[in-house]
């Protein structure tokens, strides 16, 4: 995992380097995420009853968001991430969830409509619009009905802006245009702001 990978033009390799590098630290701050996740998952469960669902979590990281679905009654939860180091942390922390190394732009391991709900938390803002489109198309393909995105929606704190700058993410354009991106692809779309600049984007397949 050479440091030079951070400076590569290849977005996928650069992102993989970043997330493999921060995985050990990220795993330790899971507890700080859980409070925000617990608030958000309550809203998800009000909108869409989670109990008994088959759920796919893309860009699962260390598995904290996936665990929220399991704790709220999902029948089966599958996490996918492109970072081996993140998945190592996830498997240690959440042994009751299945985790798989994979690419959100090409979910070749899953059949059409194989999950009731497909979700991603703080993933889609990190890539440019064309890559977001590919990810959303795959999410739509493998979901039977629901897509739930947990991501930036309101004011962003300065230290997060700095982190997004280091990551070279697309969060500013994401916040401005993501709802319209969803509307171009799905029959029904809804945005709900939660807390700490976060929000939930609900989409239903046509």
């Amino acid at each position: 995992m050479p440091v030079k990978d951070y400076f590569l033009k290849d977005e996928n390799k650069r992102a993989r380097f970043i997330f493999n590098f921060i995985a050990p630290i990220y795993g330790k701050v899971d507890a700080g995420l859980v409070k925000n996740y617990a608030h958000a998952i309550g809203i998800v469960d009000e909108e869409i009853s989670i109990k008994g669902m088959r759920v796919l979590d893309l860009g699962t990281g260390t598995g904290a968001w996936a665990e929220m679905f399991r704790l709220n009654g999902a029948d089966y939860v599958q996490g996918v991430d492109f970072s081996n180091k993140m998945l190592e942390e996830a498997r240690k922390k959440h042994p009751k969830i299945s985790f798989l190394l994979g690419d959100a732009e090409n979910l070749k391991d899953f059949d059409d409509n194989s999950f009731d709900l497909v979700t991603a938390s703080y993933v889609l803002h990190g890539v440019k619009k064309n890559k977001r489109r590919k990810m959303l198309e795959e999410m739509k393909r493998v979901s039977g009905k629901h897509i739930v995105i947990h991501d930036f929606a309101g004011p962003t704190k300065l230290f997060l802006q700095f982190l997004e700058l280091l990551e070279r993410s697309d969060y500013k354009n994401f916040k401005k245009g993501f709802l319209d991106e969803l509307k171009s692809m799905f029959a029904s779309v809804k945005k709900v702001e939660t807390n700490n600049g976060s929000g939930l984007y609900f989409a239903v397949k046509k």
Side-chain angles (χ1 to χ4, degrees), residues 84-137:
N84 274 310
K85 296 293 184 182
M86 285 287 189
L87 292 178
E88 286 175 11
E89 295 290 330
R91 290 180 181 119
K92 285 188 286 187
K93 285 176 164 293
H94 309 291
K96 293 183 180 180
I97 295 176
S98 174
F99 293 103
L100 179 71
L101 187 70
D103 181 357
E105 293 180 62
N106 181 13
L107 299 172
K108 56 183 173 37
D109 295 300
F110 307 113
D111 295 330
D112 295 358
N113 307 311
S114 51
F115 294 90
D116 302 300
L117 184 153
V118 180
T119 188
S121 179
Y122 281 97
V123 174
L124 291 172
H125 77 272
V127 298
K128 299 295 189 291
K129 185 176 179 179
N130 62 327
K131 290 176 73 68
R132 273 200 296 277
R133 181 85 184 191
K134 290 178 183 177
M135 290 180 181
L136 286 168
E137 285 172 349

Side-chain angles (χ1 to χ4, degrees), residues 181-201:
E181 292 175 33
L182 287 177
K183 287 177 180 177
S184 72
M185 296 180 65
F186 296 96
S188 174
V189 172
K190 182 178 181 180
K191 175 184 174 182
V192 179
E193 291 194 19
T194 55
N195 54 7
N196 296 319
S198 301
L200 290 159
Y201 300 84

